[in-house]
Amino acid sequence: MKLTIETRDVNTFLTANLGEQDAIDEFDFGMIKNNTIQGLIPAMYLEIDGTRKFKYNITSTISLKRFLAGEISRKTFLNLLRSFQKSFAEQQEYMMKQEYVLLDYEHVFINPAKEQVCLVCIPVTSIEKEQNLGSFFKDLLFHAKYRKNEDNTYVAELINFLSTGKGFSLECFGGILDEMIMKSQGYHPKQKEYIFQGEMINKFEKPAKEYKMEVKEPDVGNSEKKNSGLNMGFHIPDNKFMNEQEINGDNEGKKGFSLFGKKKKTEAGEYKRERVERAEEVKPTLPETDVAIKGYEVNREGKLVPCDGRKGIGALPYLIRVSTNEKIQITGEVFRIGRGRRYTNYCIMDNPEVGRNHADIVKSSQGYKIIDNNSKNHTYINGTQIASECPIPLEHGMTISLSGERFIFCLY
């Protein structure tokens, strides 16, 4: 059996070409054909000139391998794991064999816009092999890249659950994921408790108006109540204990301190505080005309620096959007472009012809490449359509067209 990717008009298909010895499991194929199973891509069976093949529509999806190349948020990753769990559980309900589902990262597909998994099930006995779902989820947790600014303790909790020797349970795993998703959405209310008249009571037991809060004043004895004011962490003497010399600042022989800086005595005998002013950092910027300066570029700190004409992996690439003349800095190992705001690094909201996750610009050891994400309206380089899921090297000055939206790729 051979797997290939084909593009027809606005759709992209994964095709499984069957050999002469490949026998189809009629029961599982009937389940896929006659039912809509969550997470499974519908299979189309074709026989043309003695050639048998299954076809799966993977338009607007990307492979799991490429999905894991970029950083994933906590919410997105939990939703993805839950989508896997629901699909596997529904397959068990239909009594299908798990061994027919492709679980290699290149042939598991993800819909980033919906944060859902799209699995390929090929009901052919020759590909049947034993699979361990617990090991699959654990491997997925180790391969993902998580956002550094988020609380990722949930990853350790999931790994601990999967590492127990009690056996993997899809039902238990789904329950843990549901609880984590609810917590991430803020659904973990805690009943606050208050102290009324020396007793601990729950505010939900009776209306709050039936209770009166008892406020006790501090016992100061017969002494006069004083306003504590601001506690500075040390004792500040009252003015009535300071002598006249200390008030006028004539006590030159004693060392003191000031909360407000250094004092300097002038010729007239008066004390004035010195103000230490810091020079403001001057940041170089582009001219107001916003024209390109030959031999210069804006680096990642926003500073104007000389450009040495670097190319390839050491360059600081950017895109110029032709319709708006906007300069777009390309950052990270995977730079995603599309109409989906949550998933992409650069969002194109004003062009409906652009897909939600149209294309990726990927940084590699050989330089930068662009990959079309099985988009409906395709990606073009210098006017030539590129194949989906096929990395194409980028060179300085190339024109990238996402449907009708044009960009110029620049390295210097």
Side-chain angles (χ1 to χ4, degrees), residues 234-301:
F234 48 82
H235 177 66
I236 300 179
D238 201 297
N239 287 341
K240 67 180 180 179
F241 296 107
M242 299 176 64
N243 56 35
E244 187 176 352
Q245 290 181 341
E246 290 175 329
I247 296 175
N248 296 331
D250 295 334
N251 192 357
E252 298 180 2
K254 296 182 180 179
K255 294 182 179 181
F257 68 91
S258 172
L259 296 176
F260 307 100
K262 221 174 187 181
K263 290 183 179 181
K264 185 176 181 181
K265 189 174 182 180
T266 62
E267 294 180 358
E270 298 178 351
Y271 283 84
K272 292 185 177 180
R273 299 186 183 93
E274 290 183 338
R275 293 185 178 180
V276 181
E277 297 183 356
R278 297 182 180 179
E280 295 183 358
E281 183 180 357
V282 179
K283 296 183 178 180
T285 57
L286 287 173
E288 294 181 359
T289 56
D290 199 23
V291 295
I293 302 179
K294 188 175 181 180
Y296 288 87
E297 65 181 1
V298 179
N299 65 8
R300 286 175 178 154
E301 286 75 26

Side-chain angles (χ1 to χ4, degrees), residues 251-389:
N251 192 357
E252 298 180 2
K254 296 182 180 179
K255 294 182 179 181
F257 68 91
S258 172
L259 296 176
F260 307 100
K262 221 174 187 181
K263 290 183 179 181
K264 185 176 181 181
K265 189 174 182 180
T266 62
E267 294 180 358
E270 298 178 351
Y271 283 84
K272 292 185 177 180
R273 299 186 183 93
E274 290 183 338
R275 293 185 178 180
V276 181
E277 297 183 356
R278 297 182 180 179
E280 295 183 358
E281 183 180 357
V282 179
K283 296 183 178 180
T285 57
L286 287 173
E288 294 181 359
T289 56
D290 199 23
V291 295
I293 302 179
K294 188 175 181 180
Y296 288 87
E297 65 181 1
V298 179
N299 65 8
R300 286 175 178 154
E301 286 75 26
K303 298 181 180 179
L304 189 66
V305 296
C307 176
D308 55 5
R310 291 169 293 169
K311 298 181 179 181
I313 197 66
L316 299 175
Y318 59 92
L319 297 172
I320 297 178
R321 188 176 178 182
V322 176
S323 61
T324 61
N325 203 27
E326 179 184 1
K327 182 177 179 180
I328 306 159
Q329 195 76 45
I330 299 174
T331 57
E333 297 182 357
V334 180
F335 190 81
R336 308 185 191 277
I337 308 173
R339 197 160 38 89
R341 179 179 298 178
R342 291 172 50 188
Y343 175 70
T344 57
N345 298 101
Y346 180 75
C347 180
I348 305 173
M349 295 290 295
D350 53 352
N351 192 335
E353 294 183 358
V354 177
R356 292 183 181 273
N357 54 307
H358 201 110
D360 292 350
I361 295 179
V362 181
K363 183 179 180 181
S364 65
S365 57
Q366 291 81 28
Y368 287 85
K369 300 180 180 180
I370 188 168
I371 305 175
D372 179 78
N373 294 332
N374 302 318
S375 61
K376 289 184 178 181
N377 295 324
H378 310 297
T379 301
Y380 301 82
I381 299 295
N382 292 339
T384 303
Q385 180 182 333
I386 65 174
S388 300
E389 294 284 341

Side-chain angles (χ1 to χ4, degrees), residues 4-145:
T4 57
I5 293 179
E6 301 177 359
T7 302
R8 294 290 180 87
D9 297 328
V10 297
N11 294 316
T12 305
F13 298 91
L14 175 70
T15 303
N17 298 286
L18 306 184
E20 295 181 358
Q21 305 300 324
D22 294 329
I24 298 176
D25 188 325
E26 297 293 341
F27 177 83
D28 280 44
F29 176 57
M31 288 294 179
I32 301 173
K33 183 179 179 180
N34 301 317
N35 300 280
T36 301
I37 301 175
Q38 183 171 348
L40 285 188
I41 304 175
M44 295 179 289
Y45 178 70
L46 302 173
E47 287 189 14
I48 303 175
D49 297 333
T51 302
R52 301 177 300 159
K53 61 178 65 176
F54 283 105
K55 296 186 70 172
Y56 305 85
N57 193 332
I58 58 173
T59 307
S60 300
T61 67
I62 62 173
S63 65
L64 179 60
K65 180 179 179 180
R66 289 191 37 234
F67 184 81
L68 296 176
E71 292 185 351
I72 306 176
S73 67
R74 171 191 175 107
K75 178 181 179 298
T76 298
F77 194 56
L78 287 175
N79 288 338
L80 182 66
L81 293 175
R82 190 67 172 99
S83 180
F84 270 112
Q85 189 274 337
K86 287 181 178 180
S87 180
F88 293 146
E90 192 158 339
Q91 292 170 42
Q92 289 183 358
E93 291 181 4
Y94 281 93
M95 297 180 292
M96 297 177 60
K97 290 185 178 180
Q98 184 65 53
E99 292 79 3
Y100 294 148
V101 177
L102 301 182
L103 291 184
D104 59 292
Y105 287 7
E106 292 185 355
H107 297 112
V108 173
F109 298 94
I110 307 297
N111 187 331
K114 298 181 180 180
E115 298 178 351
Q116 292 179 354
V117 64
C118 302
L119 297 175
V120 176
C121 179
I122 307 178
V124 176
T125 56
S126 60
I127 70 167
E128 184 178 356
K129 61 180 179 179
E130 185 178 355
Q131 294 176 347
N132 187 321
L133 295 182
S135 299
F136 170 77
F137 283 117
K138 188 187 297 185
D139 186 73
L140 194 60
L141 288 165
F142 280 116
H143 278 80
K145 296 180 181 179

Side-chain angles (χ1 to χ4, degrees), residues 93-214:
E93 291 181 4
Y94 281 93
M95 297 180 292
M96 297 177 60
K97 290 185 178 180
Q98 184 65 53
E99 292 79 3
Y100 294 148
V101 177
L102 301 182
L103 291 184
D104 59 292
Y105 287 7
E106 292 185 355
H107 297 112
V108 173
F109 298 94
I110 307 297
N111 187 331
K114 298 181 180 180
E115 298 178 351
Q116 292 179 354
V117 64
C118 302
L119 297 175
V120 176
C121 179
I122 307 178
V124 176
T125 56
S126 60
I127 70 167
E128 184 178 356
K129 61 180 179 179
E130 185 178 355
Q131 294 176 347
N132 187 321
L133 295 182
S135 299
F136 170 77
F137 283 117
K138 188 187 297 185
D139 186 73
L140 194 60
L141 288 165
F142 280 116
H143 278 80
K145 296 180 181 179
Y146 308 99
R147 290 187 179 177
K148 298 177 181 178
N149 60 344
E150 292 186 337
D151 181 11
N152 295 316
T153 54
Y154 73 98
V155 179
E157 295 177 11
L158 291 174
I159 292 176
N160 289 336
F161 168 78
L162 296 171
S163 300
T164 58
K166 298 180 180 180
F168 177 74
S169 170
L170 273 175
E171 185 178 357
C172 294
F173 190 57
I176 292 175
L177 292 175
D178 283 340
E179 183 179 350
M180 289 183 173
I181 292 173
M182 291 179 66
K183 286 184 179 180
S184 66
Q185 295 175 348
Y187 298 126
H188 48 93
K190 295 182 179 179
Q191 293 182 348
K192 297 182 179 180
E193 294 177 334
Y194 300 89
I195 299 178
F196 291 91
Q197 297 181 349
E199 295 180 358
M200 185 75 72
I201 57 175
N202 194 313
K203 72 172 184 177
F204 298 106
E205 292 179 356
K206 295 183 181 180
K209 63 182 181 180
E210 296 184 11
Y211 301 92
K212 295 182 180 180
M213 182 179 290
E214 181 179 351

